[in-house]
Amino acid sequence: MTDDLLTAVHALTRPTHRKLLQDDPDDTKPPRVVKVVDKPLLEQLDEAIRSNMGGSTRGASDPAARAVANLGALMKMMQISSQIMDWARIVGSVIDKPSMVVTLERWHVKYIGGVHDDAITAGHARMLTSWAEQIEALLDPPREMDFEQNCPTCGSDCWWSPADKASYPRPIVVKYRPGEPIDSAEGLCRACKTVFGARELQFELEKAQINS
């Protein structure tokens, strides 16, 4: 259980690694794979909140969606910070308010130095792992692409945003992640809330165009 907990703590407090395809600037050589080292997920989330508040968020196609994304990141950070500080107080470790990374690492050292029920330790590990997954989803949300066509289900050519109580055109939107299979993409009518598979949406739009 302690190994699972350590892995879960490291997922939030250690730098993350990823690989990217980098094009040759002279266009004379094929793209090459480069390794990129990012800051720990907790630090990335904190920086994203600071930079995105009042700015733009990848994957959002309108101001209302950007506001929701920013608010979601802020609420998640507040939830995580509150829980980590509660854990720190329980075991008597020192809280570093400017850094949740430092606070979580101090808590972990103090926690594993005591005796705890395996079920409680497993619960902590699951929660930390879940946070890492949620942060990754917030930092890299799906891309969005909307369409000019009316919804094939309800026929609407606009949709109402409850976030800012405004009407927007182009209700059909498809969410996707670059590099993932097209079948994993998902379509949505923001007017009637009908959900489509990507291929199903393509078929319905083509059918509606033929019948129009």
Side-chain angles (χ1 to χ4, degrees), residues 61-88:
S61 61
D62 63 85
R66 290 198 298 269
V68 170
N70 290 336
L71 180 60
L74 177 60
M75 295 300 291
K76 179 53 59 179
M77 189 62 179
M78 291 173 62
Q79 176 199 357
I80 292 172
S81 298
S82 175
Q83 184 63 74
I84 291 174
M85 287 191 290
D86 282 348
W87 287 350

mmCIF file of all heavy atoms in Angstrom, residues 61-88:
data_model
loop_
_atom_site.group_PDB
_atom_site.id
_atom_site.type_symbol
_atom_site.label_atom_id
_atom_site.label_comp_id
_atom_site.label_asym_id
_atom_site.label_seq_id
_atom_site.Cartn_x
_atom_site.Cartn_y
_atom_site.Cartn_z
ATOM 1 N N SER A 61 -14.745 27.149 -27.215
ATOM 2 C CA SER A 61 -15.103 27.826 -28.449
ATOM 3 C C SER A 61 -15.875 29.118 -28.215
ATOM 4 O O SER A 61 -16.226 29.795 -29.162
ATOM 5 C CB SER A 61 -15.938 26.897 -29.335
ATOM 6 O OG SER A 61 -17.128 26.532 -28.672
ATOM 7 N N ASP A 62 -16.142 29.497 -26.960
ATOM 8 C CA ASP A 62 -16.856 30.729 -26.694
ATOM 9 C C ASP A 62 -16.505 31.213 -25.297
ATOM 10 O O ASP A 62 -15.995 30.464 -24.468
ATOM 11 C CB ASP A 62 -18.364 30.513 -26.822
ATOM 12 C CG ASP A 62 -18.879 29.526 -25.792
ATOM 13 O OD1 ASP A 62 -19.171 29.961 -24.666
ATOM 14 O OD2 ASP A 62 -18.964 28.332 -26.104
ATOM 15 N N PRO A 63 -16.776 32.504 -24.997
ATOM 16 C CA PRO A 63 -16.416 33.047 -23.688
ATOM 17 C C PRO A 63 -17.034 32.302 -22.520
ATOM 18 O O PRO A 63 -16.423 32.145 -21.467
ATOM 19 C CB PRO A 63 -16.920 34.497 -23.766
ATOM 20 C CG PRO A 63 -16.951 34.811 -25.221
ATOM 21 C CD PRO A 63 -17.313 33.524 -25.908
ATOM 22 N N ALA A 64 -18.270 31.850 -22.684
ATOM 23 C CA ALA A 64 -18.942 31.138 -21.596
ATOM 24 C C ALA A 64 -18.209 29.845 -21.267
ATOM 25 O O ALA A 64 -18.017 29.497 -20.102
ATOM 26 C CB ALA A 64 -20.388 30.842 -21.982
ATOM 27 N N ALA A 65 -17.795 29.115 -22.296
ATOM 28 C CA ALA A 65 -17.090 27.854 -22.072
ATOM 29 C C ALA A 65 -15.742 28.098 -21.407
ATOM 30 O O ALA A 65 -15.314 27.337 -20.552
ATOM 31 C CB ALA A 65 -16.897 27.127 -23.407
ATOM 32 N N ARG A 66 -15.052 29.180 -21.807
ATOM 33 C CA ARG A 66 -13.767 29.488 -21.185
ATOM 34 C C ARG A 66 -13.945 29.787 -19.704
ATOM 35 O O ARG A 66 -13.149 29.369 -18.871
ATOM 36 C CB ARG A 66 -13.113 30.681 -21.896
ATOM 37 C CG ARG A 66 -12.631 30.367 -23.300
ATOM 38 C CD ARG A 66 -11.629 31.397 -23.755
ATOM 39 N NE ARG A 66 -12.202 32.739 -23.827
ATOM 40 C CZ ARG A 66 -12.771 33.256 -24.903
ATOM 41 N NH1 ARG A 66 -12.896 32.525 -25.989
ATOM 42 N NH2 ARG A 66 -13.248 34.490 -24.886
ATOM 43 N N ALA A 67 -15.006 30.546 -19.361
ATOM 44 C CA ALA A 67 -15.252 30.881 -17.961
ATOM 45 C C ALA A 67 -15.508 29.633 -17.141
ATOM 46 O O ALA A 67 -15.015 29.503 -16.016
ATOM 47 C CB ALA A 67 -16.436 31.849 -17.863
ATOM 48 N N VAL A 68 -16.287 28.703 -17.681
ATOM 49 C CA VAL A 68 -16.580 27.452 -16.976
ATOM 50 C C VAL A 68 -15.303 26.654 -16.764
ATOM 51 O O VAL A 68 -15.069 26.096 -15.692
ATOM 52 C CB VAL A 68 -17.621 26.632 -17.764
ATOM 53 C CG1 VAL A 68 -17.751 25.241 -17.171
ATOM 54 C CG2 VAL A 68 -18.973 27.332 -17.725
ATOM 55 N N ALA A 69 -14.443 26.596 -17.805
ATOM 56 C CA ALA A 69 -13.193 25.843 -17.691
ATOM 57 C C ALA A 69 -12.297 26.447 -16.624
ATOM 58 O O ALA A 69 -11.691 25.740 -15.809
ATOM 59 C CB ALA A 69 -12.484 25.816 -19.040
ATOM 60 N N ASN A 70 -12.172 27.781 -16.602
ATOM 61 C CA ASN A 70 -11.338 28.439 -15.609
ATOM 62 C C ASN A 70 -11.880 28.227 -14.201
ATOM 63 O O ASN A 70 -11.124 27.988 -13.259
ATOM 64 C CB ASN A 70 -11.258 29.935 -15.907
ATOM 65 C CG ASN A 70 -10.457 30.229 -17.162
ATOM 66 O OD1 ASN A 70 -9.612 29.432 -17.561
ATOM 67 N ND2 ASN A 70 -10.738 31.349 -17.791
ATOM 68 N N LEU A 71 -13.188 28.331 -14.052
ATOM 69 C CA LEU A 71 -13.805 28.127 -12.748
ATOM 70 C C LEU A 71 -13.606 26.691 -12.284
ATOM 71 O O LEU A 71 -13.337 26.443 -11.105
ATOM 72 C CB LEU A 71 -15.299 28.457 -12.823
ATOM 73 C CG LEU A 71 -16.085 28.281 -11.514
ATOM 74 C CD1 LEU A 71 -15.519 29.179 -10.426
ATOM 75 C CD2 LEU A 71 -17.567 28.580 -11.746
ATOM 76 N N GLY A 72 -13.713 25.731 -13.199
ATOM 77 C CA GLY A 72 -13.498 24.332 -12.845
ATOM 78 C C GLY A 72 -12.099 24.083 -12.323
ATOM 79 O O GLY A 72 -11.908 23.350 -11.343
ATOM 80 N N ALA A 73 -11.091 24.690 -12.964
ATOM 81 C CA ALA A 73 -9.712 24.536 -12.516
ATOM 82 C C ALA A 73 -9.509 25.162 -11.142
ATOM 83 O O ALA A 73 -8.846 24.590 -10.270
ATOM 84 C CB ALA A 73 -8.759 25.163 -13.533
ATOM 85 N N LEU A 74 -10.087 26.343 -10.930
ATOM 86 C CA LEU A 74 -9.953 27.015 -9.643
ATOM 87 C C LEU A 74 -10.614 26.206 -8.529
ATOM 88 O O LEU A 74 -10.036 26.035 -7.437
ATOM 89 C CB LEU A 74 -10.568 28.412 -9.717
ATOM 90 C CG LEU A 74 -10.562 29.223 -8.420
ATOM 91 C CD1 LEU A 74 -9.130 29.445 -7.932
ATOM 92 C CD2 LEU A 74 -11.278 30.553 -8.618
ATOM 93 N N MET A 75 -11.814 25.703 -8.773
ATOM 94 C CA MET A 75 -12.509 24.922 -7.761
ATOM 95 C C MET A 75 -11.757 23.636 -7.436
ATOM 96 O O MET A 75 -11.685 23.210 -6.279
ATOM 97 C CB MET A 75 -13.929 24.591 -8.237
ATOM 98 C CG MET A 75 -14.827 25.800 -8.410
ATOM 99 S SD MET A 75 -15.048 26.728 -6.858
ATOM 100 C CE MET A 75 -16.017 25.543 -5.926
ATOM 101 N N LYS A 76 -11.174 23.013 -8.459
ATOM 102 C CA LYS A 76 -10.410 21.789 -8.219
ATOM 103 C C LYS A 76 -9.174 22.084 -7.375
ATOM 104 O O LYS A 76 -8.842 21.331 -6.454
ATOM 105 C CB LYS A 76 -10.006 21.165 -9.562
ATOM 106 C CG LYS A 76 -9.168 19.880 -9.450
ATOM 107 C CD LYS A 76 -9.836 18.828 -8.567
ATOM 108 C CE LYS A 76 -11.197 18.426 -9.086
ATOM 109 N NZ LYS A 76 -11.806 17.377 -8.222
ATOM 110 N N MET A 77 -8.492 23.189 -7.652
ATOM 111 C CA MET A 77 -7.314 23.548 -6.870
ATOM 112 C C MET A 77 -7.694 23.846 -5.427
ATOM 113 O O MET A 77 -6.984 23.448 -4.492
ATOM 114 C CB MET A 77 -6.617 24.761 -7.490
ATOM 115 C CG MET A 77 -5.264 25.073 -6.874
ATOM 116 S SD MET A 77 -4.103 23.694 -7.110
ATOM 117 C CE MET A 77 -2.632 24.346 -6.343
ATOM 118 N N MET A 78 -8.798 24.516 -5.219
ATOM 119 C CA MET A 78 -9.248 24.818 -3.858
ATOM 120 C C MET A 78 -9.575 23.531 -3.102
ATOM 121 O O MET A 78 -9.242 23.393 -1.918
ATOM 122 C CB MET A 78 -10.461 25.746 -3.907
ATOM 123 C CG MET A 78 -10.155 27.147 -4.401
ATOM 124 S SD MET A 78 -11.639 28.154 -4.650
ATOM 125 C CE MET A 78 -12.299 28.215 -2.987
ATOM 126 N N GLN A 79 -10.236 22.590 -3.788
ATOM 127 C CA GLN A 79 -10.577 21.313 -3.166
ATOM 128 C C GLN A 79 -9.321 20.550 -2.766
ATOM 129 O O GLN A 79 -9.216 20.037 -1.640
ATOM 130 C CB GLN A 79 -11.408 20.469 -4.126
ATOM 131 C CG GLN A 79 -11.717 19.074 -3.592
ATOM 132 C CD GLN A 79 -12.136 18.098 -4.680
ATOM 133 O OE1 GLN A 79 -12.263 18.468 -5.846
ATOM 134 N NE2 GLN A 79 -12.344 16.853 -4.320
ATOM 135 N N ILE A 80 -8.370 20.475 -3.694
ATOM 136 C CA ILE A 80 -7.128 19.734 -3.427
ATOM 137 C C ILE A 80 -6.342 20.388 -2.299
ATOM 138 O O ILE A 80 -5.868 19.712 -1.382
ATOM 139 C CB ILE A 80 -6.276 19.649 -4.702
ATOM 140 C CG1 ILE A 80 -6.961 18.760 -5.745
ATOM 141 C CG2 ILE A 80 -4.879 19.114 -4.396
ATOM 142 C CD1 ILE A 80 -6.289 18.757 -7.097
ATOM 143 N N SER A 81 -6.210 21.708 -2.346
ATOM 144 C CA SER A 81 -5.452 22.430 -1.315
ATOM 145 C C SER A 81 -6.058 22.219 0.065
ATOM 146 O O SER A 81 -5.346 21.969 1.046
ATOM 147 C CB SER A 81 -5.412 23.928 -1.642
ATOM 148 O OG SER A 81 -4.766 24.166 -2.856
ATOM 149 N N SER A 82 -7.383 22.313 0.136
ATOM 150 C CA SER A 82 -8.061 22.147 1.414
ATOM 151 C C SER A 82 -7.835 20.749 1.982
ATOM 152 O O SER A 82 -7.550 20.596 3.182
ATOM 153 C CB SER A 82 -9.556 22.411 1.237
ATOM 154 O OG SER A 82 -10.269 22.161 2.431
ATOM 155 N N GLN A 83 -7.939 19.730 1.122
ATOM 156 C CA GLN A 83 -7.776 18.358 1.595
ATOM 157 C C GLN A 83 -6.334 18.079 2.032
ATOM 158 O O GLN A 83 -6.105 17.437 3.065
ATOM 159 C CB GLN A 83 -8.172 17.383 0.492
ATOM 160 C CG GLN A 83 -8.138 15.923 0.917
ATOM 161 C CD GLN A 83 -9.123 15.618 2.028
ATOM 162 O OE1 GLN A 83 -10.316 15.556 1.802
ATOM 163 N NE2 GLN A 83 -8.628 15.448 3.252
ATOM 164 N N ILE A 84 -5.375 18.555 1.250
ATOM 165 C CA ILE A 84 -3.971 18.332 1.605
ATOM 166 C C ILE A 84 -3.640 18.997 2.936
ATOM 167 O O ILE A 84 -2.947 18.420 3.783
ATOM 168 C CB ILE A 84 -3.037 18.855 0.487
ATOM 169 C CG1 ILE A 84 -3.160 17.976 -0.759
ATOM 170 C CG2 ILE A 84 -1.581 18.878 0.962
ATOM 171 C CD1 ILE A 84 -2.378 18.496 -1.952
ATOM 172 N N MET A 85 -4.142 20.216 3.144
ATOM 173 C CA MET A 85 -3.866 20.908 4.410
ATOM 174 C C MET A 85 -4.545 20.201 5.586
ATOM 175 O O MET A 85 -3.992 20.146 6.685
ATOM 176 C CB MET A 85 -4.293 22.371 4.315
ATOM 177 C CG MET A 85 -3.355 23.203 3.439
ATOM 178 S SD MET A 85 -3.628 24.998 3.537
ATOM 179 C CE MET A 85 -5.207 25.146 2.701
ATOM 180 N N ASP A 86 -5.740 19.651 5.356
ATOM 181 C CA ASP A 86 -6.406 18.882 6.407
ATOM 182 C C ASP A 86 -5.573 17.659 6.779
ATOM 183 O O ASP A 86 -5.407 17.341 7.975
ATOM 184 C CB ASP A 86 -7.796 18.437 5.943
ATOM 185 C CG ASP A 86 -8.814 19.556 6.015
ATOM 186 O OD1 ASP A 86 -8.509 20.595 6.628
ATOM 187 O OD2 ASP A 86 -9.915 19.396 5.437
ATOM 188 N N TRP A 87 -5.073 16.944 5.760
ATOM 189 C CA TRP A 87 -4.222 15.781 6.023
ATOM 190 C C TRP A 87 -2.976 16.187 6.806
ATOM 191 O O TRP A 87 -2.550 15.483 7.723
ATOM 192 C CB TRP A 87 -3.802 15.125 4.705
ATOM 193 C CG TRP A 87 -4.893 14.377 4.024
ATOM 194 C CD1 TRP A 87 -6.125 14.053 4.516
ATOM 195 C CD2 TRP A 87 -4.851 13.850 2.691
ATOM 196 N NE1 TRP A 87 -6.856 13.357 3.579
ATOM 197 C CE2 TRP A 87 -6.105 13.214 2.467
ATOM 198 C CE3 TRP A 87 -3.888 13.851 1.688
ATOM 199 C CZ2 TRP A 87 -6.398 12.584 1.253
ATOM 200 C CZ3 TRP A 87 -4.184 13.225 0.477
ATOM 201 C CH2 TRP A 87 -5.414 12.604 0.269
ATOM 202 N N ALA A 88 -2.384 17.323 6.416
ATOM 203 C CA ALA A 88 -1.165 17.787 7.092
ATOM 204 C C ALA A 88 -1.440 18.083 8.567
ATOM 205 O O ALA A 88 -0.643 17.733 9.446
ATOM 206 C CB ALA A 88 -0.620 19.028 6.384
#
